[in-house]
Amino acid sequence: MSTDIHSTAVVSPSAQIGVDVRIGPYVVVGDEAIIGDGTFLESHVVIKDYTELGSNNHVHPHAVLGGEPQHTAYKGETTYTRLGDNNQIRECVTIHRGTAQGAGETTIGSNCMFMAYAHIAHDCVVGDNVIMANAVNLAGHVEVGRNVIISGMSAVQQFIRIGEYAFLGGASGYKLDVPPFMLAHGVRGMLFGPNLIGLKRNGFDSTACKALKKAYKIIFRSGLKRESGLEKVEQEIQGIPQVDRLLEFIRESKNGVTPDHKQRHCSSDS
């Protein structure tokens, strides 16, 4: 199949268009944009300047990728938006480019699905196999690990990290880091233990799931101070890579970690 560009599309002469690309009616492709092989841009899609799409992406009508960041310090600097392969970008999704004050680029992995009206702000880093449901909003500089699911109408505050394989419930707000492998929910997002259903669906064995469940109880429900809880987990649970990753993520957190829902009145460092 050869590349097919509709007669009403506006494609910059400096854009690079791969093979087997379909560009629909009234699409706009900006300067220095890169559209990878096999990608389908449906009608009225806007691909802004310096936006790179890998292969086999499907972008639905009225999505805008690589828009200028909603950042008061942005003065038109050359910054980037980069997407991997095999992503499904649904109607009216917006993804903004990076800022000079941040990483200079917004980066999206491969095999993601962003449902209608989802928004990814400047300088975000989103891993592979991420699903963001309708009207999810990521503020600037958010990091989302691989295989994360964020349910509809949820919002994540700037600079927050969401660890891999986490599941975030809908209509929720997140202002602290959500550790990997965890389930979070609530208007003010709280933890509800490991994401056991999601972990099993992704092939985690019972040993890893039981270890994460035990580690969670020690860290978040034992009443120990945070570092004491982490040290106790290190002593009692060894040889489980997922537990090691959980401890690493918590120790690296600069924002604080989302608390357990039963400890909602406690400090995230308690």
Side-chain angles (χ1 to χ4, degrees):
M1 178 180 177
S2 61
T3 292
D4 181 13
I5 301 176
H6 194 274
S7 60
T8 60
V10 178
V11 179
S12 169
S14 65
Q16 299 179 38
I17 309 299
V19 298
D20 298 331
V21 170
R22 288 182 289 167
I23 298 180
Y26 304 103
V27 168
V28 177
V29 179
D31 295 340
E32 307 297 332
I34 299 175
I35 310 299
D37 298 348
T39 290
F40 181 20
L41 307 180
E42 293 197 34
S43 67
H44 299 88
V45 165
V46 178
I47 306 297
K48 304 283 280 187
D49 300 348
Y50 308 108
T51 299
E52 301 178 11
L53 277 69
S55 62
N56 300 311
N57 290 287
H58 186 174
V59 187
H60 289 252
H62 302 286
V64 180
L65 308 186
E68 293 82 358
Q70 296 175 145
H71 192 299
T72 57
Y74 180 72
K75 303 301 180 185
E77 299 91 346
T78 298
T79 56
Y80 299 89
T81 310
R82 295 188 169 99
L83 287 78
D85 307 325
N86 305 308
N87 293 299
Q88 290 283 333
I89 313 294
R90 295 307 302 255
E91 298 82 359
C92 302
V93 166
T94 51
I95 302 175
H96 288 174
R97 69 184 70 161
T99 63
Q101 294 75 25
E105 63 181 26
T106 299
T107 305
I108 311 296
S110 298
N111 305 304
C112 297
M113 176 183 285
F114 305 133
M115 298 185 192
Y117 294 95
H119 172 68
I120 299 173
H122 58 86
D123 301 293
C124 285
V125 177
V126 178
D128 297 338
N129 307 308
V130 168
I131 297 174
M132 289 172 45
N134 299 72
V136 167
N137 288 278
L138 304 185
H141 310 276
V142 168
E143 297 181 17
V144 179
R146 67 186 184 279
N147 296 88
V148 167
I149 297 176
I150 307 178
S151 302
M153 296 187 290
S154 290
V156 182
Q157 185 171 298
Q158 62 183 0
F159 292 102
I160 294 304
R161 297 186 305 149
I162 309 297
E164 60 269 27
Y165 295 95
F167 182 98
L168 278 59
S172 301
Y174 299 92
K175 65 177 184 177
L176 298 171
D177 292 346
V178 177
F181 318 115
M182 296 297 145
L183 173 67
H185 186 53
V187 175
R188 296 183 179 180
M190 300 287 178
L191 298 181
F192 285 77
N195 176 25
L196 295 176
I197 293 175
L199 295 177
K200 291 175 183 177
R201 287 176 176 171
N202 281 282
F204 288 72
D205 61 26
S206 60
T207 299
C209 291
K210 288 178 181 177
L212 283 168
K213 190 173 181 179
K214 180 178 179 181
Y216 182 85
K217 289 181 178 178
I218 293 172
I219 297 168
F220 293 99
R221 293 183 177 173
S222 67
L224 294 172
K225 292 287 187 181
R226 181 57 47 83
E227 186 56 37
S228 297
L230 299 178
E231 292 175 355
K232 183 176 175 65
V233 169
E234 286 179 322
Q235 294 169 1
E236 296 189 8
I237 308 174
Q238 299 180 1
I240 306 296
Q242 294 82 4
V243 172
D244 294 340
R245 171 60 182 147
L246 176 63
L247 299 177
E248 175 189 48
F249 183 97
I250 293 172
R251 285 192 167 121
E252 289 177 346
S253 177
K254 298 177 181 179
N255 305 303
V257 175
T258 301
D260 178 74
H261 69 287
K262 294 182 178 179
Q263 307 295 327
R264 67 183 65 207
H265 299 299
C266 297
S267 166
S268 61
D269 295 323
S270 63

